[in-house]
C-alpha cells in the first residue's frame, strides 16, 4: 500500500477521476491535469495531521455522499468572483481550500478518508499481533456466510468453561474482570474506541456477561446459537468486520494467557479462540442476513399504520440528491412534478378508502386492530399488553439500532414491573401476529412471518432478562437511600465529582457552578435513580426534557460515561455491596443512555448555531433545509414526547443576534413558480404567545417581528403602492377568538412599539369597527348620571325668582338624588364588589408598605370610581332631605315636603355641600377617558397628567416655605394684624405667593424692619426662584414626554380596547372577522395571487420609498424537499465582523506560509539543483521573474 506523498498523490488522482465522472461538474474540466492534481493534493493534505498514512486506493475510496457534498461546495465557489487569468475550476478549488475548509460538506470528505484508513489500521494491528505472537489462528477461521451450531468435544468445552471460571475467579469481583477486559481491548486497538458509546462501567459488564453467557452455553449447541443470535441482534447498527473480530479475539486471548499462564491448556485456548471466532462470524452473518428482515419490518409497519411512505421519503430527501435533481433540467422537473401529482392522487384515493373503513367501524391501524383482537381473544383485561403496545412503535422503528432497542426494552420492563398480575409475553405475540396479518394481507408471506417472529423473539429475550429485576433493585436502592445520614450523603456528593474530574479532567470546564450547586446536582442524581424504578412513565418525559436543555447547554455526550462510572465507583467503595451497586448503576446507566440519545438527536446544526450566537452560522445551517421545512428547523426539535424551540432557546440563552436572524429569516417571503413560503403561520402556530415572550424577555426583537409582517410592492400604480399587513395572528388566535397580542403590548408599556405601523393598523381596526361603539355605549350611562347629578346639585337649587323653593322643584330634586344614589352609586358598588371578588379569588394583591390593596386599584380610573363611590355614600348618609324627612313641617323658611332647610339638618347640609362639590369634580375628571376618541386630545391630556407631578412638587415646596415663614413670623412681637398668629401669617404668605395680596398692606409693614425683611426673603424665594424653577421643570418634563406622547395615548387606547373587547358578543366578533377576509389570498401585484392572512391597503408611493422586491424568487425545481439556492445577496451582505474574520484567516494562512519559508532567502533545492525560491511560484502567485 502506498504511504506518504505516494498515497496523497494516489488519493488525489482517485478524487480527480471521481469528480470528472460527475455530470454536474464535468463541463469545467480542461487539459490542465497537472495543475488540477496539485490543487487536489493541497485540498486532501490537511486530512491527516502527521502526514498521509498507508492507504489502499480503490474506486470506492470516496462515497457518493461525500463527493456530492464537495461538488456542491465547488459549484458555490464557481458562482463567486474568480481571477480572470486562471482556470475557473482551479480557482474555485483554491477558494474551497481557503474559505470552505471548515464547511461540513468538505469535512465529511475528510472523515470518509480517515475512516477508510482506520479499517486498514485495524488490519495492520491484527497482522502485527500475529507477527508478535506467532498465532496459528488466521482471519479465515471466522465464518461469516452461515451460522450453524458449534459442536465442540465435550471435554474441550468443559476445559474452556473451567479456564474461563478460573480467569474470573482470579479477580475480586466480576465487575473488575469486566473492567480489565474493557481496558485490554482498548489498549490493543484504540481504533475501536469510537464504536462504544455506553458508559465504561456498563460496557465492561456487558463484555464480561456476554462472553460468560456464550462460554457457559458451549455444551448445548442449540442454546449457544440462540445466545449468539440474541447478542448479534444488539450489534445490527455496528460495522462488525473480520479484522475487528480478530483484534477483539486476540485481546481476550492475550489477557487470559497473561493472567492464567500455564493453567490454560492448549485445548482450552484453541476452544476459546474457536468460540470467539464463531461468535464474531455469527454477528457478521446476522447483520448481513437480517438487514432484509429489517426492511420487511419497516415496510409492513408503514402499511399496517396506513402511513404514506412516498410522501415521507420525499420529505426526507437528502439535500445532495435534491441538488442533483435541480441540475437535471426543467423537463425532468416537470416529469417529477407530474409524478408527485399522480402520487398525491393515489394517496387521496387511499385516504378516501381509509375514511370509508373508519365510517364502517373497521380498524385501520395496528393500534386499533390490536385492541380489537385482544378483546376478541379474551386479553382485554391484560393491562401489561397495552403497555407493550404503547412502546411497540418505537421498538419496531428502532429494530436496527441496538442501543435504542435495548433502551426501549429496559424502559418497558420498568413500566411492566409496575403492573400487578402475571405476564405471558407469548400472548402478546399471538395478538400481534394476528393484527399485523390482518393489516398486511396482500404482501404477507413466509418472509414476513419469519421477520415478525424474529423481532418478537429477540424483544422477548430482552424483556425476560429484566422483568424480574426492577422490584428487588428498587427495594435495595430505596433501603439504601432512605438510610443515608447527612455525613454519608456529603461523602457521596464530594466523591462523585472527585471521581468524575479524575476520569475526565476536561469536564471541569462544564461544571463552573458553586459547590452547593454541584451538591444539589448530586442529590438530584440519587433521587432520579430511585424515581426511575418508581415512576418510569414520568421519568421518561422528565429525562427527555432534561436532555433537550443540555442540548442548549452544549454538553458533550462523552462526559456521561465517566460520570456514571464515577458515581457507581463511589457507591461501590462506600457500601461494598455489589447488588446495590448493580441496582444503582443499571438505573443511572439507563438515564445516561436516554440523555445521550436525546442530546444526539436534538443537537442539530441550528442549535449549534444558537450556541455560537453567529448569524452567519445560522444562515449556513438553514440553507440546506428543505424549503417546506425550513421554518420548522428554527422552531421545533422533538425528541420523544418532549420538544425544544431553537428560537426560544436563543432568547433564553441570550443569543439575541441569532434570534434576530431567525425572525428575519422566518419572515422573508420566498417563492418558486408553484408556491410562496412564509414563516408567519409556522411561527404563530408553534408559539402563539411569541408577542408576550418577546415583550418580556427580548423587547428589542419586537420591531424585527413587526417589520416582517409588512410587504410593500416596489412598483406603484397611479402614484399609489400596494401594502400587505399580515395581521391575522395578532387579531385572532387558533380558536378564532380575540388574541391577547394587544394586551401583551399594552402591558409592556413601550410607547415606541405601540406606534409601529402594524400595531397601529390592527389596533385601529379593532377600535374603529368594534370597540369605539361599545365603549361609547358603556359611557353613555355615566354621562346620563353626570347630567342628572348636575341638574340636582348645580341647577335646581339655584333657580331664580324663588322657583327653587316650590314643591315641584323639591320633588324633582328628590327624584334626581334618589336616581344618583340607586342608579349611580348602586352600579359603582356592583362593579367594585365584582372586581374585589375577582382579585380575592386570584389572590391579586399589591403591597404598598405594610398595606395590601387589590390589584385593580392600581388603575387610576378604577381607583377614581372607588373614591366616587365613597363620596356618594357619604352624600347619602348626610343627605339633608333624609334628615328633614320627619321635620318637614315647622316655622322655618322652606318648610314643606322634601325640604332641606330644617334646623336639624344644618350641620349635615354643610358636609353634604362640600362632599357634593368634590364628587362633581371627580365625575368630570372621570369623563376625560372619552378623549381617546382623538389621539391628539388624548396625548394632550396625558401630557398634562405627566407634568402635573411637577406642579405637585412646587405646591409641596410652597407649603413647606409657607409653614416655615409663618411660624417664624408668628414668633415676632409684631403689631400687624395680618401676621398676629400662625393662621394669619399662613394666609398672608399664601396670598403673597399667589399674588393675591393687597399691595397697600406692604406700607403697614415698613415700620417693622424684621417683618419686612422676612417677607422680602419669602418673596424672593417663592417668586424669583421657586416659580421660575417650576417653569423650567415643566418645560423639561414636556420635552421628555413630547416624543412619546402619542405612544402613551395609544397605550391608553389599547388598554380601553382590551377591556372593551370582553363585552363583544360572539356574533359581533364573527361578523368582524368575516369582514376582514383573512382566508382570501392577497395580490402582490396584478395577477400575482399571494398569501392569505392579512389586509391590503394603498398608500402614497412617496410615503415609504421601496425600490427592491421584498419577495425572494428562485427558479429551478419547485419540489418542497428541495433546499433554497443560496442567496448571493446574503453572501455579499455579510456583516463587517464576518469580513474581518475572513481577512484574519487569510492573513493567518499567509503568515504560516511565510514562516515555512527557509531563512536567509535561500529556498529548498530540488534534485536538479534548482531552487524553489528562484524558479518556483511565490506566496502571492507571482513568479520570481514577474517580481523582478
Amino acid at each position: 500500500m502506498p504511504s506518504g506523498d505516494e498515497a496523497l498523490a494516489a488519493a488525489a488522482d482517485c478524487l480527480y477521476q471521481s469528480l470528472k465522472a460527475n455530470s454536474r461538474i464535468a463541463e469545467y474540466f480542461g487539459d490542465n491535469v497537472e495543475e488540477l492534481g496539485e490543487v487536489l493534493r493541497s485540498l486532501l493534505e490537511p486530512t491527516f495531521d502527521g502526514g498521509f498514512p498507508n492507504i489502499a486506493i480503490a474506486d470506492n475510496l470516496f462515497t457518493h455522499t461525500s463527493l456530492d457534498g464537495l461538488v456542491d461546495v465547488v459549484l458555490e465557489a464557481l458562482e463567486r468572483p474568480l481571477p480572470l487569468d486562471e482556470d475557473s475550476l482551479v480557482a474555485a478549488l483554491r477558494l474551497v481550500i481557503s474559505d470552505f475548509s471548515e464547511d461540513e460538506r468538505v469535512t465529511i470528505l475528510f472523515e470518509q478518508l480517515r475512516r477508510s484508513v482506520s479499517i486498514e489500521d485495524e488490519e495492520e494491528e491484527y497482522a502485527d499481533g500475529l507477527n508478535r505472537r506467532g498465532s496459528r489462528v488466521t482471519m479465515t477461521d471466522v465464518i461469516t456466510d452461515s451460522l450453524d451450531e458449534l459442536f465442540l468435544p465435550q471435554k474441550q468445552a468443559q476445559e474452556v468453561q473451567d479456564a474461563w471460571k478460573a480467569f474470573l475467579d482470579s479477580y475480586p469481583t466480576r465487575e473488575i474482570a469486566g473492567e480489565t477486559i474493557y481496558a485490554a481491548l482498548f489498549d490493543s486497538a484504540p481504533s475501536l474506541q469510537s464504536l462504544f458509546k455506553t458508559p465504561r462501567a456498563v460496557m465492561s459488564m456487558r463484555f464480561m456477561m456476554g462472553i460468560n453467557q456464550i462460554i457457559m452455553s458451549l455444551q448445548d449447541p442449540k442454546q449457544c446459537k440462540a445466545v449468539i443470535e440474541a447478542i448479534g441482534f444488539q450489534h445490527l447498527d455496528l460495522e462488525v468486520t473480520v479484522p475487528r473480530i480478530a483484534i477483539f479475539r486476540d485481546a481476550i486471548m492475550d489477557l487470559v494467557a497473561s493472567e492464567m499462564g500455564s493453567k490454560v491448556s492448549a485445548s482450552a485456548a484453541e476452544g476459546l479462540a474457536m468460540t470467539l471466532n464463531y461468535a464474531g462470524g455469527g454477528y457478521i452473518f446476522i447483520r448481513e442476513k437480517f438487514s432484509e428482515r429489517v426492511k420487511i419490518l419497516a415496510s409492513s409497519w408503514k402499511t399496517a399504520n396506513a402511513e404514506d411512505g412516498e410522501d415521507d421519503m420525499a420529505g426526507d430527501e437528502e439535500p445532495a440528491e435534491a441538488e442533483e435533481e435541480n441540475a437535471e433540467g426543467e423537463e425532468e422537473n416537470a416529469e417529477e412534478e407530474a409524478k408527485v401529482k399522480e402520487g398525491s392522487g393515489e394517496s387521496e384515493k387511499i385516504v378516501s378508502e381509509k375514511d370509508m373503513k373508519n365510517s364502517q367501524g373497521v380498524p385501520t391501524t395496528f393500534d386499533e386492530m390490536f385492541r380489537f383482537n385482544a378483546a376478541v381473544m379474551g386479553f382485554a383485561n391484560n393491562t401489561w399488553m397495552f403497555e407493550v403496545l404503547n412502546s411497540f412503535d418505537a421498538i419496531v422503528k428502532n429494530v436496527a439500532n441496538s442501543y435504542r432497542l435495548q433502551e426501549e426494552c429496559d424502559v418497558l420492563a420498568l413500566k411492566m414491573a409496575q403492573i400487578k398480575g402475571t405476564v405471558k409475553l407469548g400472548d402478546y405475540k399471538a395478538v400481534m401476529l394476528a393484527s399485523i396479518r390482518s393489516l398486511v394481507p396482500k404482501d404477507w408471506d413466509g418472509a414476513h412471518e419469519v421477520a415478525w417472529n424474529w423481532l418478537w423473539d429477540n424483544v422477548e429475550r430482552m424483556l425476560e432478562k429484566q422483568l424480574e429485576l426492577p422490584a428487588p433493585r428498587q427495594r435495595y436502592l430505596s433501603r439504601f437511600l432512605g438510610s443515608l445520614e447527612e455525613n454519608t450523603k456529603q461523602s457521596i456528593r464530594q466523591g462523585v465529582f472527585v471521581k468524575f474530574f479524575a476520569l475526565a479532567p476536561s469536564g471541569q470546564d462544564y461544571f463552573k457552578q458553586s459547590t452547593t450547586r454541584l451538591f444539589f446536582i448530586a442529590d438530584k442524581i440519587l433521587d432520579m435513580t430511585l424515581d426511575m424504578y418508581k415512576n418510569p412513565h414520568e421519568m421518561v418525559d422528565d429525562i427527555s426534557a432534561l436532555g433537550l436543555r443540555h442540548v442548549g447547554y452544549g454538553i458533550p455526550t462523552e462526559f456521561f460515561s465517566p460520570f456514571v462510572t464515577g458515581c457507581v465507583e463511589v457507591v461501590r467503595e462506600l457500601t461494598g455491596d455489589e447488588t446495590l451497586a448493580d441496582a444503582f448503576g443499571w438505573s443511572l446507566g439507563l438515564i445516561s443512555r436516554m440523555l445521550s440519545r436525546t442530546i444526539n438527536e436534538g443537537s442539530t446544526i441550528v442549535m449549534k448555531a444558537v450556541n455560537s450566537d453567529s448569524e452567519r452560522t445560522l444562515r449556513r445551517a438553514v440553507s440546506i433545509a428543505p424549503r417546506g421545512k425550513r421554518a420548522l428547523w428554527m422552531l421545533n426539535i422533538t425528541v420523544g414526547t418532549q420538544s425544544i424551540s431553537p428560537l426560544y432557546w436563543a432568547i433564553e440563552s441570550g443569543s439575541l443576534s441569532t434570534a434576530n436572524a431567525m425572525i428575519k429569516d422566518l419572515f422573508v417571503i420566498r417563492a418558486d413558480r408553484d408556491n410562496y413560503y412564509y414563516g408567519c403561520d409556522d411561527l404563530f402556530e408553534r408559539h402563539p404567545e411569541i408577542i408576550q415572550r418577546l415583550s418580556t424577555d427580548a423587547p428589542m426583537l419586537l420591531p424585527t417581528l413587526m417589520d416582517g409582517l409588512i410587504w410593500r410592492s416596489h412598483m406603484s400604480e397611479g402614484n399609489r403602492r400596494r401594502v400587505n399587513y399580515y395581521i391575522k395572528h395578532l387579531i385572532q388566535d387558533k380558536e378564532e377568538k380575540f388574541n391577547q397580542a394587544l394586551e401583551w403590548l399594552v402591558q409592556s408599556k413601550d410607547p415606541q412599539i405601540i406606534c409601529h405601523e402594524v400595531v397601529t393598523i390592527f389596533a385601529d381596526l379593532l377600535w374603529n369597527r368594534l370597540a369605539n361603539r361599545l365603549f361609547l355605549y358603556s359611557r353613555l350611562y355615566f354621562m346620563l348620571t353626570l347630567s342628572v347629578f348636575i341638574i340636582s346639585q348645580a341647577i335646581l337649587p339655584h333657580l331664580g325668582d324663588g322657583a327653587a323653593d316650590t314643591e315641584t322643584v323639591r320633588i324633582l330634586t328628590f327624584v334626581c338624588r334618589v336616581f344618583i344614589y340607586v342608579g349611580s352609586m348602586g352600579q359603582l358598588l356592583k362593579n367594585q364588589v365584582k372586581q374585589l371578588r375577582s382579585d380575592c379569588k386570584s389572590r391579586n394583591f399589591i403591597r404598598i408598605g405594610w398595606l395590601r390593596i387589590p390589584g385593580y386599584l392600581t388603575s387610576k380610573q378604577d381607583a377614581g370610581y372607588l373614591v366616587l363611590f365613597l363620596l356618594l355614600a357619604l352624600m347619602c348618609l348626610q343627605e339633608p332631605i333624609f334628615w328633614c324627612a320627619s321635620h318637614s313641617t315647622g316655622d322655618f323658611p322652606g318648610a314643606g315636603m322634601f325640604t332641606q332647610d330644617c334646623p336639624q339638618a344644618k350641620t349635615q347640609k354643610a358636609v353634604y355641600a362640600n362632599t357634593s362639590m368634590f364628587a362633581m369634580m371627580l365625575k368630570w375628571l372621570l369623563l376625560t377617558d372619552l378623549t381617546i376618541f382623538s389621539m391628539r386630545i388624548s396625548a394632550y391630556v396625558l401630557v398634562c397628567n405627566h407634568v402635573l407631578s411637577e406642579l405637585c412638587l412646587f405646591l409641596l415646596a410652597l407649603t413647606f416655605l409657607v409653614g416655615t415663614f409663618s411660624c417664624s413670623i408668628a414668633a415676632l412681637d409684631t403689631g400687624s394684624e395680618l401676621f398676629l398668629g400662625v393662621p394669619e401669617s399662613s394666609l398672608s404668605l399664601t396670598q403673597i405667593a399667589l399674588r393675591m395680596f393687597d399691595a397697600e398692606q406692604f406700607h403697614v409693614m415698613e415700620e417693622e424692619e424684621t417683618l419686612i425683611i422676612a417677607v422680602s426673603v419669602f418673596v424672593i424665594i417663592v417668586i424669583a426662584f421657586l416659580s421660575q424653577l417650576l417653569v423650567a421643570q415643566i418645560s423639561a418634563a414636556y420635552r421628555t414626554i413630547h416624543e412619546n406622547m402619542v405612544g402613551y395615548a395609544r397605550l391608553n387606547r389599547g388598554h380601553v380596547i382590551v377591556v372593551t373587547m370582553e363585552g363583544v358578543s360572539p356574533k359581533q366578533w364573527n361578523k368582524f372577522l368575516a369582514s376582514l377576509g383573512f382566508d382570501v389570498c392577497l395580490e402582490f401585484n396584478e395577477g400575482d395571487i399571494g398569501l392569505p392572512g392579512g389586509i391590503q391597503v394603498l398608500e402614497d408611493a412617496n410615503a415609504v420609498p421601496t425600490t427592491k422586491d421584498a419577495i425572494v424568487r428562485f427558479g429551478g425545481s419547485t419540489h418542497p424537499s428541495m433546499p433554497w439556492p443560496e442567496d448571493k445577496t446574503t453572501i455579499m451582505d455579510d456583516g463587517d465582523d464576518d469580513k474581518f474574520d475572513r481577512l484574519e484567516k487569510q492573513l493567518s494562512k499567509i503568515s504560516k506560509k511565510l514562516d515555512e519559508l527557509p531563512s536567509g532567502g535561500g529556498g529548498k533545492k530540488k534534485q536538479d539543483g534548482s531552487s524553489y525560491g528562484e524558479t518556483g511560484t511565490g506566496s502571492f502567485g507571482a513568479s520570481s521573474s514577474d517580481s523582478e
Side-chain angles (χ1 to χ4, degrees), residues 806-976:
T806 63
E807 184 176 352
T808 304
V809 171
R810 288 200 298 267
I811 294 174
L812 186 57
T813 301
F814 175 76
V815 171
C816 290
R817 293 186 179 180
V818 170
F819 175 79
I820 292 298
Y821 299 141
V822 177
S824 180
M825 187 178 71
Q827 185 193 40
L828 291 172
L829 176 61
K830 176 184 175 182
N831 292 337
Q832 292 295 317
V833 172
K834 181 180 178 181
Q835 291 177 298
L836 179 62
R837 181 181 177 184
S838 175
D839 282 348
C840 291
K841 191 174 182 180
S842 60
R843 299 184 181 276
N844 180 24
F845 287 90
I846 306 298
R847 183 179 294 277
I848 301 178
W850 56 269
L851 182 64
R852 296 179 64 191
I853 63 173
Y856 79 95
L857 292 180
T858 56
S859 168
K860 294 180 181 179
Q861 199 79 4
D862 291 330
Y865 286 133
L866 175 61
V867 175
L868 178 60
F869 166 74
L870 295 176
L871 291 175
L872 292 179
L874 181 60
M875 287 176 60
C876 183
L877 293 175
Q878 300 297 322
E879 176 59 56
I881 296 178
F882 297 159
W883 284 89
C884 293
S886 57
H887 307 285
S888 58
T889 59
D891 187 15
F892 59 88
M897 186 174 59
F898 302 136
T899 182
Q900 306 178 49
D901 301 324
C902 65
Q904 291 79 5
K906 184 177 181 180
T907 304
Q908 286 76 18
K909 188 174 181 180
V911 175
Y912 178 85
N914 294 329
T915 307
S916 176
M917 180 191 71
F918 289 115
M920 183 69 71
M921 294 176 62
L922 187 56
K923 270 185 171 289
W924 277 102
L925 288 175
L926 291 174
L927 201 62
T928 56
D929 60 354
L930 291 175
T931 58
I932 63 171
F933 282 93
S934 169
M935 282 293 97
R936 187 173 182 181
I937 298 175
S938 180
Y940 176 77
V941 172
L942 289 172
V943 169
C944 293
N945 291 335
H946 184 78
V947 300
L948 191 62
S949 59
E950 307 299 332
L951 179 61
C952 293
L953 291 175
F954 168 78
L955 294 177
L956 180 63
L958 179 62
T959 302
F960 173 78
L961 290 174
V962 169
T964 302
F965 280 90
S966 61
C967 293
S968 302
I969 293 174
L972 292 175
D973 185 13
T974 178
S976 176

Side-chain angles (χ1 to χ4, degrees), residues 253-455:
M253 295 290 294
D254 288 345
L255 179 62
V256 174
S258 64
E259 288 292 331
M260 305 302 298
S262 59
K263 295 180 182 180
V264 180
S265 64
S267 176
E270 182 182 18
L272 179 59
M274 292 176 63
T275 302
L276 295 174
N277 280 343
Y278 172 70
Y283 297 162
I284 297 177
F285 172 77
I286 290 168
R287 188 172 186 269
E288 294 176 352
K289 178 182 177 181
F290 292 156
S291 60
E292 186 63 29
R293 293 184 181 177
V294 171
K295 293 179 182 178
I296 292 174
L297 291 172
S299 61
S300 56
W301 185 248
K302 279 187 177 182
T303 305
N305 287 281
E307 295 179 1
D308 189 355
E310 292 181 3
D311 288 348
D312 292 342
M313 291 174 65
D316 297 334
E317 186 177 354
E318 293 294 332
E321 296 176 5
E323 290 289 345
E324 185 174 353
E325 288 183 10
N326 193 30
E328 291 178 354
E330 295 297 330
E331 182 178 353
E332 200 167 88
N333 289 334
E335 294 177 1
E336 180 187 290
E337 292 162 10
K339 290 179 181 179
V340 171
K341 292 179 180 178
E342 182 180 349
S344 64
E346 292 177 0
S347 64
E348 290 176 2
K349 181 179 179 181
I350 293 172
V351 171
S352 63
E353 292 177 357
K354 179 183 174 183
D355 292 340
M356 186 180 299
K357 289 182 179 180
N358 286 336
S359 63
Q360 297 173 356
V362 178
T364 56
T365 64
F366 178 80
D367 186 273
E368 297 171 356
M369 185 63 74
F370 185 93
R371 296 178 185 276
F372 174 78
N373 286 331
V376 172
M377 299 170 70
F379 298 128
N381 295 326
N382 290 5
T383 310
W384 65 269
M385 275 193 177
F386 302 104
E387 198 66 66
V388 180
L389 177 63
N390 294 334
S391 303
F392 200 62
D393 180 71
I395 289 174
V396 175
K397 290 182 177 179
N398 293 283
V399 63
N401 186 339
S402 61
Y403 291 98
R404 179 65 186 277
L405 186 63
Q406 184 67 54
E407 176 191 316
E408 290 293 338
C409 291
D410 290 346
V411 173
L412 180 58
L414 289 175
K415 293 178 180 178
M416 294 173 66
Q418 304 294 316
I419 301 174
K420 296 181 180 179
T422 305
V423 175
K424 295 182 179 179
L425 296 174
D427 294 344
Y428 184 90
K429 178 180 179 180
V431 181
M432 179 267 292
L433 289 175
S435 303
I436 205 74
R437 290 191 198 107
S438 302
L439 294 167
V440 195
K442 296 180 181 179
D443 301 331
W444 192 265
D445 55 15
H448 284 73
E449 190 79 24
V450 171
W452 283 98
N453 276 281
W454 165 76
L455 167 67

Side-chain angles (χ1 to χ4, degrees), residues 557-577:
T557 55
E558 55 263 26
F559 289 127
F560 284 104
S561 176
F563 190 84
V564 173
T565 301
C567 293
V568 175
E569 288 180 359
V570 168
V571 173
R572 182 182 288 120
E573 293 173 0
L574 181 67
T575 63
D577 189 340

